[in-house]
Amino acid sequence: MPKYYNRFLENAMHGLSFDILTMLHNLAGFFLPDPAQPLVFSSGLFWVMFIIFLPVYATLRYRRTQLLLFVVAFSLFFFFKSSGWYFLLMVATAWIDWRLAQFIAHSDNALHRKWALLASLAGSLGVLVAFKYTNFFMQTWSALVRGNFQPWDIVAPIGLSFYTFRTVSYVVDVYCQRMEPTRSYLKYLFFLSFFPCLIAGPIVRARDFLPQVKPHIHVSEEQIYGGFLRVMVGVVKKAVVADYLAQYTSIVLGNPVGYSGFEQLMATLGFTMQLYCDFSGYSDMAIGIGSIMGFNLGENFNFPY
């Protein structure tokens, strides 16, 4: 009897150690980036994280510095899960644009202010062009000179266009004296990395968003319930309508010669609706999450076509 009992204990301990190692492996994988499966609002993982995020956010809503640090950390982790260490690029460009905006606001020399604006635009748009269009320009040049160009392995960070346009609009607004620059880099990074509109919009102007970052953030019941309703509408648009249409439009448009003109027309109209519901649904979810957190991100996609 002791022999069988010892064997049972050995098997149990072996299984337990295997389960613990598997759990630790999965936990370590959670903190690693996965560009193949970016963290998006329609995923279950995001909502698990958001459910954990909300009580902490509610606890800190009357402590502005701690709140800003917490949301910035969450937003950067959100970005890191989708784009890896590229989040450091956003942190660096945000600091440069924040400093240049400070210089523009406090300089009395018109020429210096203009050069600072051009430097900011060149840096922000240069990064965007480098990631988005390097291969396109190189392929075009290779075709002109009849060369043999192999595309480089350049993967743009998710949301690069959206946060680039936001930082450009901020510096331009400061240059045109439409707003005063924020004195706090943390506050500016909070605006630029705010996760509800980080990777797919809506594109919120700093002069509309930054005044909402108050010492005490009050969230009304109307904002909370309205936000949850907006999120549900967005989920239906994205996860039901857009994803359902995608199953059929990809079949027809992937092999157009195999289908009639009417079927291709229906697939084209379906793709049009799919594209709208995809981006509109994601924007609805972003606006709804922002509302739950007490922020008005404005409207988007009223007249997309």
Side-chain angles (χ1 to χ4, degrees):
M1 188 71 177
K3 181 174 65 174
Y4 294 108
Y5 181 71
N6 291 335
R7 184 178 299 175
F8 172 77
L9 285 179
E10 289 176 2
N11 292 335
M13 292 300 295
H14 176 74
L16 181 62
S17 63
F18 179 78
D19 290 341
I20 292 175
L21 289 176
T22 303
M23 183 181 67
L24 292 176
H25 176 76
N26 294 335
L27 185 62
F30 171 74
F31 291 99
L32 295 176
D34 187 3
Q37 294 182 339
L39 190 61
V40 294
F41 296 154
S42 54
S43 69
L45 176 60
F46 169 78
W47 289 107
V48 171
M49 293 174 57
F50 190 65
I51 289 172
I52 298 172
F53 167 88
L54 268 183
V56 181
Y57 179 84
T59 303
L60 298 176
R61 70 184 186 276
Y62 296 120
R63 307 172 188 173
R64 192 174 77 165
T65 301
Q66 292 91 330
L67 178 73
L68 296 182
L69 285 170
F70 173 66
V71 176
V72 166
F74 186 89
S75 299
L76 293 180
F77 178 72
F78 181 84
F79 194 17
F80 172 75
K81 282 290 292 180
S82 303
S83 301
W85 296 101
Y86 281 133
F87 82 90
L88 295 174
L89 180 65
M90 181 179 65
V91 173
T93 54
W95 186 84
I96 293 171
D97 284 338
W98 173 72
R99 292 294 296 169
L100 287 173
Q102 292 277 345
F103 176 82
I104 290 170
H106 298 109
S107 176
D108 295 327
N109 189 306
L111 183 60
H112 291 171
R113 295 176 72 251
K114 185 174 293 185
W115 276 111
L117 173 65
L118 292 175
S120 173
L121 294 177
S124 298
L125 297 178
V127 171
L128 178 63
V129 170
F131 275 101
K132 293 281 190 178
Y133 302 108
T134 295
N135 277 326
F136 171 76
F137 290 138
M138 295 297 291
Q139 286 173 341
T140 303
W141 175 254
S142 179
L144 291 174
V145 301
R146 297 182 180 180
N148 184 19
F149 170 72
Q150 296 298 323
W152 296 344
D153 187 18
I154 300 176
V155 180
I158 292 179
L160 175 63
S161 301
F162 294 97
Y163 78 73
T164 296
F165 294 147
R166 286 204 299 276
T167 192
V168 166
S169 70
Y170 169 75
V171 177
V172 170
D173 281 345
V174 171
Y175 176 81
C176 296
Q177 299 181 343
R178 299 190 188 111
M179 65 173 291
E180 290 292 324
T182 176
R183 296 180 180 180
S184 168
Y185 170 66
L186 178 61
K187 186 177 179 180
Y188 181 66
L189 186 59
F190 176 86
F191 153 70
L192 201 61
S193 66
F194 192 58
F195 72 91
C197 52
L198 177 60
I199 64 175
I203 300 173
V204 185
R205 287 185 175 273
R207 66 173 184 258
D208 298 325
F209 183 87
L210 288 176
Q212 300 181 56
V213 186
K214 300 174 182 178
H216 306 294
I217 296 178
H218 174 72
V219 186
S220 65
E221 289 187 4
E222 182 181 356
Q223 286 177 298
I224 295 174
Y225 294 136
F228 275 115
L229 178 61
R230 192 71 177 263
V231 168
M232 288 188 287
V233 170
V235 169
V236 171
K237 285 182 181 178
K238 171 66 179 71
V240 178
V241 180
D243 290 354
Y244 181 78
L245 287 173
Q247 298 178 26
Y248 296 94
T249 58
S250 59
I251 295 174
V252 178
L253 298 179
N255 182 29
V257 296
Y259 296 89
S260 66
F262 176 77
E263 289 170 326
Q264 293 183 42
L265 175 62
M266 292 298 100
T268 303
L269 294 176
F271 180 74
T272 303
M273 183 58 67
Q274 171 198 333
L275 190 64
Y276 168 78
C277 287
D278 202 317
F279 282 95
S280 176
Y282 208 95
S283 293
D284 283 339
M285 286 185 275
I287 293 169
I289 292 171
S291 179
I292 294 169
M293 296 172 62
F295 291 91
N296 180 7
L297 301 183
E299 289 299 328
N300 200 12
F301 276 83
N302 283 336
F303 301 101
Y305 294 115

